[in-house]
Amino acid sequence: MVRQPIFPPGAWPARMPAEMAAGYCGERSAEAFLCRVGTEYPEPVVKSGRRQLWLKDELDNAIKADRATVADVGAER
């Protein structure tokens, strides 16, 4: 079963489960997000059994790093 990302109205919390983090990062599903954890996205800061939470600040840094890489590639042309 594919879990759809969650898009909360208004604001994003400081800590997010996989479905919400997927929506925040613009992924198509929680599974797509989880496939990139450890490479493009950070590991969760909370790992308690099945409960996993990601920090918004760390996701922001990962997204910014991705944008810098794209900008750097474009600057080389």
Side-chain angles (χ1 to χ4, degrees):
M1 179 167 112
V2 174
R3 297 175 289 163
Q4 297 301 312
I6 297 171
F7 299 94
W12 295 93
R15 298 184 321 168
M16 299 180 235
E19 295 86 355
M20 194 175 292
Y24 185 74
C25 293
E27 294 293 339
R28 291 181 297 183
S29 66
E31 287 72 21
F33 171 77
L34 291 170
C35 284
R36 294 181 169 157
V37 167
T39 56
E40 294 177 43
Y41 301 122
E43 295 288 336
V45 294
V46 173
K47 289 184 181 181
S48 178
R50 293 178 53 172
R51 183 174 188 232
Q52 296 184 358
L53 299 172
W54 283 260
L55 287 179
K56 178 183 173 291
D57 289 342
E58 290 186 3
L59 294 172
D60 285 340
N61 289 337
I63 293 167
K64 287 176 190 173
D66 185 49
R67 292 178 106 188
T69 303
V70 171
D72 290 346
V73 170
E76 293 176 5
R77 293 181 188 179

